[in-house]
Amino acid sequence: MIHQHIIKSTIKAIDTLYGVVVEEKTVSVQKTRKEFTGDFTLVVFPFLKYSKKQPDTTAKEIGTFLSVEIPLIERFNIINGFLNLELKDAYWIQFLMTEGQNQSFGTPIIKNPITYVVEYSSPNTNKPLHLGHIRNNLLGQSVSEILAFSGHKVFRVNLVNDRGIHICKSMLAWQKWSHENQESDKGMKGDHLAGKYYVMFENEYRKQIEDLKNKGKSEDQAKEEAPLINEARELLRLWEDKDIATRSLWQKMNDMVFKGFDVTYEKLGISFDKTYYESETYLEGKKIVENGLKSGIFYQKPDNSVWIDLTTDGLDEKLLLRADGTSVYITQDLGTAFQRYDDYKADKYLYVVGNEQNYHFDILKQILLKLKSPVAGNLFHLSYGMVELPDGKMKSREGKVVDADDLIEEMFFTAKKQTESLGKIEGFSENEANALFHKLSMGALKYFILKVDPKKNMVFNPEESIDFNGNTGPFIQYAYVRIMSIVRKTENTEISKSYDFSKLNMNHNEKSLLKLIYSFPEIIQDAAETLSPALLANYLYDLAKEFNQYYHECPIIKEAQVEKAALRLHISVFCAGILKKGMALLGIEMPDKM
RNA sequence: GGUCCCGUAGCUCAGUUGGAUAGAGCAACAGCCUUCUAAGCUGUGGGUCAUUGGUUCGAAUCCAAUCGGGAUCACCA
């Protein structure tokens, strides 16, 4: 690419002119800003110490050298020590002709493709998915797509937290109260049903705590002594003992929850290569703890609980196994890490998990390190920020959550209403219309979430997120649809043919659009390296915006000169390909009409 | 209190391997549809880049301190 060429030639220029070989990273070549003339800009300040001349003089010397070295440079100008290089139109036309048809344009040439295992979603089986899970799923899915497109081998895995006291709470509530609720439970989605009983447990449990406190118990005592929590603990113990009745209830509730999850995943377009269950991996974890105990990495307290001391590593002591032998969260995660290594022997293990678990992952990594697991050095916690509501945090205990299914449904109806009121679905069959509403609503939701830097907390405003104007998914979809419409209209006309464009001149809009397309591979590479779909999302918005200006300024069908029209059509089609590819990497589908 | 993350326009966000006069969208106001789909385009107003100091040719970007917000420091997962 020309960008690299300019850097190499600049190094040569400094060597030839001033006798110093500079490192590549000191050469800063960037895209020329819109308000100046040129395609690429070289910052000359770093070279002044070698030239011992004024910025403008130095820039002129380097510019003159580069013009000879790189014939594609048409001319250059210098403003305040910035050397703006202007390329010949022929270069951009050549770029269009060679890459415009190239299906793999944008796929970075990776020197060492590696294998990734990406874990995301990780739902609990005691409640339905909410907005936080949506961010998790979308990030995991998109990062996987981007890595795979970059040439890496990617395995997507889910880890279901289907074991633990929280599950027992739902189960207990179900045992106690489901027969009274048969009417209202009818037809309810399985995950919502489990969630309903979990909330029921929490409410009753809180009542018992209040009662005990009124009888003079302290808060902590009350929480310990409430009959319900002890029944739940007993259930957990029975579960770990593989009690048949308990296991069968557990299985029954899980099945119905998974069915519910599948519906939500289907709507969101989320999929996995493999699903791990904590109920299976925790046993592996227990074995690892036992082995670690034998080899002295872990130690036992008088009550028989097992611990690791990480104080010398800047962390704390951490419990690995309770006194009664039951396992905790980290026990299971150790098992999962080992099992995952056995299954994949991957080079990198990504865990898409919220930033409230940063500390947990520090600990996990340290323990794996001490156990000399090959996973330790290659574990990467893709930590993302919380999703907040305009009036504060989401709190599941207070019922202040945005349910995933409700949100998806609401988005769908907004898309429908909006599209119908704009009169956009004339000639659509009902199926086509519904497919469109789905693409638009999911496009809006996914883009809204993915455009934000993963590590930042974000505010989810339900009213704004369903807006389809401005910096939104549908805005980008609309730019694509406009191109598709032109393509349909020019099919089998003179305009759709290819000509020798090399003698044509390009105007500002045409060149701008091509230049932006040119930077697509760079964006992909950055997004893959930084694991940030947001970079790609914002780029695609810029590209759509640039296209909309181009669309306005550069008519195709009305253009009298056929070659010019054909050139513009080629650029548009190239742009459409990037938009579609890029959005696919975000998990967003493009409609052909809207 | 310890550790980590964040602070950019009224609101939601870009921009952070140091580069030119800090950008979008929403909201407000004013234009553009007999002309490829107006879910679009053009324009106006709106900024102490939290504060202070440092590093240097140059700082929203790097460093330090301070102030605000969040997370975490569970025998919950």
Side-chain angles (χ1 to χ4, degrees):
Chain A
M1 296 294 249
I2 190 75
H3 182 260
Q4 280 303 318
H5 194 14
I6 294 172
I7 294 177
K8 295 235 161 64
S9 300
T10 303
I11 294 172
K12 191 169 167 193
I14 306 299
D15 188 16
T16 310
L17 293 168
Y18 314 123
V20 179
V21 180
V22 296
E23 282 183 65
E24 195 170 312
K25 64 178 181 197
T26 62
V27 183
S28 165
V29 175
Q30 44 205 245
K31 275 186 289 176
T32 302
R33 294 177 60 144
K34 277 225 161 121
E35 56 268 40
F36 302 100
T37 308
D39 297 317
F40 292 97
T41 296
L42 178 71
V43 184
V44 303
F45 292 105
F47 311 126
L48 299 184
K49 57 185 162 201
Y50 309 126
S51 72
K52 302 192 173 61
K53 290 172 189 161
Q54 292 299 310
D56 287 6
T57 317
T58 310
K60 192 171 179 189
E61 287 178 353
I62 298 173
T64 309
F65 184 94
L66 290 180
S67 302
V68 175
E69 188 73 17
I70 307 173
L72 286 170
I73 294 176
E74 174 93 60
R75 64 179 84 86
F76 64 86
N77 65 79
I78 297 156
I79 296 165
N80 296 329
F82 292 86
L83 174 60
N84 299 319
L85 303 167
E86 204 177 333
L87 299 184
K88 290 180 175 151
D89 284 3
Y91 172 76
W92 295 111
I93 288 175
Q94 183 63 33
F95 165 67
L96 172 67
M97 297 320 287
T98 52
E99 300 294 347
Q101 314 290 326
N102 177 4
Q103 286 303 311
S104 62
F105 174 70
T107 304
I109 299 139
I110 300 271
K111 285 162 228 134
N112 313 304
I114 61 173
T115 303
Y116 282 88
V117 174
V118 185
E119 175 192 302
Y120 54 97
S121 201
S122 322
N124 288 340
T125 52
N126 65 332
K127 50 190 166 200
L129 304 178
H130 59 71
L131 189 48
H133 292 114
I134 292 187
R135 191 175 195 192
N136 181 309
N137 282 308
L138 297 182
L139 275 173
Q141 180 88 356
S142 180
V143 164
S144 300
E145 292 287 345
I146 291 168
L147 288 173
F149 184 64
S150 303
H152 298 294
K153 180 82 190 146
V154 180
F155 295 100
R156 303 132 198 256
V157 304
N158 191 0
L159 171 67
V160 180
N161 294 315
D162 60 346
R163 185 208 71 85
I165 190 80
H166 56 297
I167 314 293
C168 295
K169 292 176 180 177
S170 304
M171 282 161 55
L172 185 66
W174 169 278
Q175 274 180 337
K176 287 185 176 298
W177 303 304
S178 65
H179 54 274
E180 308 164 5
N181 284 283
Q182 279 175 4
E183 269 315 298
S184 58
D185 288 354
K186 216 173 267 174
M188 210 170 166
K189 203 161 158 276
D191 48 342
H192 289 261
L193 197 54
K196 174 179 161 183
Y197 284 98
Y198 180 75
V199 170
M200 246 183 236
F201 175 93
E202 288 294 332
N203 289 340
E204 292 301 318
Y205 178 36
R206 227 172 314 159
K207 274 184 213 160
Q208 291 188 350
I209 293 173
E210 284 310 308
D211 282 352
L212 287 168
K213 276 165 76 180
N214 290 336
K215 287 177 188 158
K217 302 273 184 187
S218 75
E219 173 97 25
D220 287 349
Q221 277 174 323
K223 279 185 179 166
E224 275 302 306
E225 293 173 17
L228 269 177
I229 193 69
N230 284 309
E231 283 182 74
R233 284 186 184 135
E234 175 59 14
L235 211 50
L236 178 61
R237 204 190 54 75
L238 285 171
W239 185 90
E240 290 216 4
D241 281 350
K242 300 202 170 64
D243 172 70
I244 293 174
T246 310
R247 287 285 177 138
S248 123
L249 171 61
W250 173 74
Q251 196 64 53
K252 180 184 165 175
M253 290 189 71
N254 272 356
D255 286 347
M256 110 201 160
V257 169
F258 293 147
K259 261 189 208 141
F261 285 167
D262 284 346
V263 171
T264 311
Y265 284 145
E266 168 78 32
K267 284 186 198 153
L268 283 172
I270 303 293
S271 60
F272 308 96
D273 296 310
K274 184 177 169 82
T275 299
Y276 288 89
Y277 297 90
E278 197 195 315
S279 55
E280 290 162 10
T281 62
Y282 86 102
L283 290 169
E284 177 82 8
K286 280 184 163 182
K287 274 186 222 152
I288 292 162
V289 173
E290 280 162 28
N291 290 337
L293 193 56
K294 276 182 206 147
S295 58
I297 300 168
F298 308 140
Y299 67 92
Q300 212 155 16
K301 288 195 176 176
D303 68 352
N304 284 335
S305 56
V306 180
W307 297 73
I308 183 165
D309 186 358
L310 294 171
T311 46
T312 50
D313 304 288
L315 303 166
D316 302 302
E317 285 182 283
K318 181 77 191 170
L319 175 95
L320 299 174
L321 220 51
R322 296 189 186 103
D324 66 1
T326 57
S327 52
V328 291
Y329 185 38
I330 196 118
T331 323
Q332 163 280 126
D333 253 352
L334 286 171
T336 311
F338 275 78
Q339 193 171 332
R340 205 165 285 175
Y341 176 77
D342 287 344
D343 289 347
Y344 293 108
K345 306 266 186 309
D347 300 296
K348 288 215 158 103
Y349 300 83
L350 302 188
Y351 288 72
V352 182
V353 180
N355 63 10
E356 73 270 14
Q357 294 196 32
N358 287 353
Y359 183 68
H360 170 78
F361 276 94
D362 286 348
I363 288 179
L364 180 63
K365 209 167 169 164
Q366 270 307 322
I367 298 177
L368 287 171
L369 209 59
K370 299 221 188 272
L371 291 169
K372 299 196 170 37
S373 158
V375 175
N378 302 308
L379 182 154
F380 187 85
H381 175 201
L382 176 47
S383 156
Y384 61 89
M386 321 205 63
V387 185
E388 289 162 14
L389 297 174
D391 56 345
K393 269 178 60 179
M394 287 200 297
K395 292 199 177 106
S396 48
R397 268 182 307 160
E398 295 169 19
K400 235 173 75 178
V401 283
V402 177
D403 178 77
D405 294 316
D406 292 350
L407 179 60
I408 291 167
E409 196 182 357
E410 194 189 335
M411 295 293 288
F412 182 89
F413 283 108
T414 310
K416 182 178 160 83
K417 215 171 87 188
Q418 175 91 352
T419 307
E420 283 170 349
S421 76
L422 287 170
K424 296 274 190 178
I425 47 164
E426 281 169 41
F428 277 64
S429 72
E430 197 181 330
N431 280 344
E432 284 168 343
N434 283 332
L436 176 62
F437 304 150
H438 182 256
K439 284 178 185 173
L440 291 174
S441 57
M442 285 300 103
L445 176 62
K446 291 179 178 184
Y447 183 82
F448 187 86
I449 290 188
L450 288 174
K451 76 174 177 187
V452 181
D453 185 344
K455 70 169 186 278
K456 288 191 180 177
N457 287 2
M458 63 178 290
V459 175
F460 182 85
N461 184 331
E463 276 139 45
E464 244 172 62
S465 67
I466 55 181
D467 199 343
F468 292 178
N469 302 312
N471 189 355
T472 64
F475 176 94
I476 300 170
Q477 290 170 321
Y478 185 60
Y480 176 81
V481 163
R482 283 176 143 180
I483 300 172
M484 287 302 103
S485 172
I486 296 173
V487 168
R488 282 193 297 272
K489 288 194 171 153
T490 54
E491 234 166 2
N492 304 320
T493 67
E494 293 300 304
I495 301 174
S496 67
K497 292 178 183 161
S498 201
Y499 300 89
D500 175 15
F501 299 128
S502 61
K503 289 181 198 71
L504 293 178
N505 289 321
M506 287 199 292
N507 70 24
H508 174 261
N509 290 289
E510 291 156 350
K511 224 194 278 189
S512 264
L513 187 56
L514 267 178
K515 281 196 270 184
L516 203 51
I517 292 171
Y518 173 88
S519 55
F520 179 62
E522 225 177 293
I523 298 293
I524 292 290
Q525 205 167 346
D526 279 0
E529 278 169 19
T530 59
L531 305 173
S532 172
L535 284 178
L536 178 59
N538 285 297
Y539 166 79
L540 292 172
Y541 171 67
D542 287 341
L543 185 60
K545 192 162 175 60
E546 187 71 45
F547 174 78
N548 276 333
Q549 283 165 23
Y550 170 89
Y551 179 87
H552 204 257
E553 300 296 327
C554 305
I556 293 172
I557 294 169
K558 282 171 291 176
E559 168 60 44
Q561 200 191 335
V562 181
E563 286 93 345
K564 187 86 186 165
L567 173 69
R568 287 176 175 174
L569 182 62
H570 268 73
I571 297 173
S572 304
V573 170
F574 195 7
C575 179
I578 302 297
L579 288 172
K580 186 168 190 171
K581 184 75 234 172
M583 289 292 262
L585 297 180
L586 300 178
I588 299 173
E589 292 179 282
M590 290 297 214
D592 288 327
K593 282 187 203 169
M594 67 186 268

